[in-house]
Amino acid sequence: METNHKNKTSFSQWLKYLIQAIIKHAFPLVFVFVLFVIFRMPHLSDLTIVIIQLQDHNDFIVMPIFYTSILVMGLLISYGNLIKIESVKKSFKAEADGSIATKDIKLRSKVVKAINPKDSKEISIEKSNVSTKPSGQIDTKIIDESTEDPKIYVERMYTKILGIFMILSITFSVENTYYHLFGEYITFKYFFLLLTLFLVAITNPRLGMFLKGILKWKSNRKWLPIIIVAIAFAIILILGFVNTGGTKQDIKNLFWSMGCLSVLFFVFSISYNEKILWFKENYGIPLAYIFTFSMVLMYIIMLIDPELHYLKYLTPMVIIMVCIIGQYTIFLGLNLYGKRKKWPILTLVFFGSILMTVFVAKSNCFTHYEVSTVVSENIHPDSRLSLEAYVDKYILERRQDILNATNKAPFPIVLVSAEGGGSRAGLWAFLVHSYLYGKNENYFKKHLFSITGASGGSVGSNMFYIQAYANKDRYKKNLFLAQESDSILNENDFYYKASVFYQKDYISSSVAGLLGRDIVASILHLNFYRDRGKITETEWEATFDSLFNVGLLKRPYLDIMPKKGDTFTPPIMVTTTTHVQSGQLYLMSPVKFNTTEPRESGFNDLLSEYVKKNDSSKMIKRSAAMLLTARFPYLSPNGRVSGIGQFGDGGYYDNIGGTVTNYLEAALIKGLTKDSLLQGKYKIKHLVITNNSEAENEKKEEVDYYSQFTTPAQMAVNAIFAHADEFINAHPDCYRIESKRTALPNPGNDTLFKPLIPLGRYLSIDAVRSLEERLKDSTEVIVKLDNLLKFE
């Protein structure tokens, strides 16, 4: 008499078997964890719901591809370890030997059976199929009465539960986004946790037997799994058709639709219903192979050309899923091949690749991540004015305007500091500048002295700066307005051109490069034409050219710099970046901060050092300088400058540029005090452009304590964003213009909602509109900006 193993499995035995299964299938768990983190990351948190905002019914194309990618990934996790390619060879060999003699068996059915991965129970059912009932049904009595080793049961269920959990985690990332948008849950707070615990518990043989006993009354209803699948599929289709483009209800529908996808996958994974098994073998698995091949082919295309072009229409989340599937397929292939050869090939390749990246990075001839340059056009950094000479020239040109002012209405001189923070910071800075330019003709020409910042804020400021300078001789009030321009494509009816620029997708190509070609280059010491950083530069350039003066971002950085004989002395735009090797701040400035010693100002001059160590006929171009200050971790690689080192995001050192602004203010005050007639007739004003992605900026009364493991990383991150507060506290009378999630009308009803404004390189249509709406705030924004340039 056989022993019933399941009823005798203790908790400790089950836990032991579960841990063994986790160790044995470690790399699928790693990928599931990566996907969980990706879909919960703050700067990617709204990308899932972006799919339902697609226009011209493109969601009917993209959504099925997105769902397919999720199912493919789930199948690879659940069944990938069961694939045995050698069984195909055996099938063909058996036919050649004549052991498969029946002529009515088609080649397709043999191949399908050969490549169809089956778990231990499915194999047992297939073997029992040799004795069938007259009706052709499987005699499941043998299976029901047979016992299964609990260790085999746990391993069989673990990978399937892992695949189900992966889909559920993506599903509940939608609810996570919904909560941040509307402050409420679609289900309830701990529902995802309860479902996770339930899935883990299913791997316990005793619970499996218990559930089987509870649901025994359903065992004779052979159509029940089919009905569940049909209902789930129908709900997915119906909810897709009623999508109206991103309302509150649409996000709920997306959650329930993905919930149905989870149910569908759950049934297909754990059900051993004969009809389900037949469908999986004859249609499900073959289609899975076709879709997997298609996804891998797309990944190969991205490897070859990470610029993506038309593939961008698939949205960033689909691109991420395709890249993850491509990476997982490679890992799976190495793992299966290693098992066949009985060598830890996956482990050797993984750690070998990491080691190779270290050696390749140290190579002097590895130029894949070299910073982009253009012909300097005979502009040399040494020809720049010193900061002191520039200040004198700036004041002299505006001296009469200052003298015409009074003590009661002094002449405003504005120093701008723009905080970093991805595309949201860049758009907000660009919007603020655009408003001031349209409000007052003299904002750029007379009152603005300097612009500093870091990361995204500096990117937006740079684009405003070069466009305003290009039109310095012909002021146009509507220069930065999109609604009053017939020459640009403004599908979403944005008010400002900056909004049109920042609604573009600048993250997909970065992801494709990060998970594709750049990995290959870093491991194999290959110098491809463009890394993901250079691709971002070309994307910025192309979008800018479609909205503004053509070619400005492709010009050398010092194409705009004050000169002695010029009749107009423009404000200065100082771009910062952080030196990886020393941690010091480097500047790219149109004036010289250092005249006698390399670091007499406390800052390093990147443009000056570049010509000393590299070809003086070349110069860092504007878009490359913008990216150097916005080298967002991992999305953009550290930029490499031969002979000097590597450079990262300017926000690592100072995320608002306050250190440079303070130095500039001191130089300005020194220059102004030289002329006694000017005293009392000017007022230095600080415009501080900051970002707040939350609806309110209230400090928590309760202290959040961190573990000793996470404290160093958390402290480093918080220190970066603390610079803005320190600078603001040092200038209590500054004009702080802060972005906030601002409510928009909810389509279809009279309610309002506040879109997410994530920290990243992609903003949804609603996020952009929310920032435009914020700019209209009469109490916190408009009144401050209007007073900034007033003589008061």
Side-chain angles (χ1 to χ4, degrees), residues 28 46 127 208 245 260 346 395 486 488 498 510 619 780:
D46 71 337
K127 289 180 179 179
C260 289
L346 177 58
I395 295 171
D486 298 326
I488 66 171
S510 295
M619 181 178 289
E780 294 185 358

Side-chain angles (χ1 to χ4, degrees), residues 404-668:
N404 291 338
T406 65
N407 291 338
K408 292 184 178 180
F411 181 86
I413 302 176
V414 180
L415 289 81
V416 178
S417 303
E419 186 181 22
S423 285
R424 74 182 184 202
L427 173 57
W428 185 236
F430 206 160
L431 288 175
V432 171
H433 287 302
S434 298
Y435 174 84
L436 289 170
Y437 185 91
K439 186 72 176 178
N440 192 316
E441 178 180 358
N442 291 322
Y443 168 63
F444 182 80
K445 293 188 69 174
K446 291 186 177 181
H447 297 293
L448 185 59
F449 172 72
S450 67
I451 305 176
T452 63
S455 196
S458 187
V459 172
S461 294
N462 261 283
M463 288 188 288
F464 162 77
Y465 179 77
I466 60 175
Q467 179 65 6
Y469 182 84
N471 292 270
K472 64 182 184 301
D473 298 326
R474 49 186 187 282
Y475 174 77
K476 296 179 182 178
K477 186 175 182 179
N478 62 351
L479 180 64
F480 294 97
L481 302 185
Q483 288 190 342
E484 298 185 25
S485 175
D486 298 326
S487 60
I488 66 171
L489 185 62
N490 187 13
E491 296 174 339
N492 300 302
D493 200 29
F494 294 130
Y495 190 72
Y496 288 95
K497 291 181 180 179
S499 300
V500 180
F501 180 93
Y502 274 104
Q503 208 283 306
K504 302 297 182 182
D505 176 9
Y506 301 112
I507 196 172
S508 292
S509 58
S510 295
V511 171
L514 171 64
L515 299 177
R517 193 165 73 181
D518 285 354
I519 289 180
V520 177
S522 297
I523 296 173
L524 302 180
H525 199 300
L526 300 176
N527 296 315
F528 287 116
Y529 177 50
R530 288 193 182 107
D531 68 343
R532 60 188 185 277
K534 295 183 181 69
I535 291 173
T536 300
E537 293 169 14
T538 58
E539 289 173 341
W540 284 348
E541 292 165 2
T543 307
F544 188 91
D545 287 351
S546 69
L547 298 170
F548 303 106
N549 289 42
V550 176
L552 296 183
L553 291 184
K554 303 171 187 175
R555 303 286 296 166
Y557 190 83
L558 292 183
D559 179 54
I560 302 175
M561 70 176 187
K563 301 180 182 69
K564 287 183 179 180
D566 288 351
T567 56
F568 171 61
T569 303
I572 55 173
M573 175 75 227
V574 181
T575 308
T576 64
T577 184
T578 306
H579 190 232
V580 174
Q581 280 69 26
S582 66
Q584 295 176 351
L585 189 67
Y586 273 68
L587 307 182
M588 289 163 283
S589 168
V591 298
K592 288 188 290 187
F593 278 67
N594 307 316
T595 54
T596 57
E597 299 293 332
R599 296 191 72 241
E600 63 179 287
S601 63
F603 309 119
N604 297 280
D605 189 333
L606 180 57
L607 299 177
S608 179
E609 288 191 30
Y610 179 85
V611 297
K612 294 177 182 177
K613 301 291 180 66
N614 296 276
D615 185 358
S616 61
S617 66
K618 299 286 185 179
M619 181 178 289
I620 296 171
K621 63 177 178 176
R622 177 69 60 170
S623 61
M626 288 160 50
L627 188 66
L628 271 182
T629 192
R631 294 268 175 170
F632 200 84
Y634 298 110
L635 285 181
S636 295
N638 292 318
R640 181 166 172 154
V641 180
S642 295
I644 303 175
Q646 294 165 290
F647 293 89
D649 200 295
Y652 282 120
Y653 187 95
D654 182 354
N655 200 42
I656 200 168
T659 308
V660 179
T661 299
N662 286 334
Y663 189 87
L664 290 171
E665 181 184 22
L668 176 62

Side-chain angles (χ1 to χ4, degrees), residues 258-283:
M258 295 187 68
C260 289
L261 189 72
S262 303
V263 170
L264 192 150
F265 189 82
F266 180 86
V267 173
F268 271 104
S269 295
I270 70 168
S271 174
Y272 293 92
N273 177 279
E274 60 190 78
K275 294 178 177 61
I276 295 291
L277 293 178
W278 177 86
F279 181 83
K280 277 201 300 187
E281 180 170 338
N282 291 276
Y283 295 99

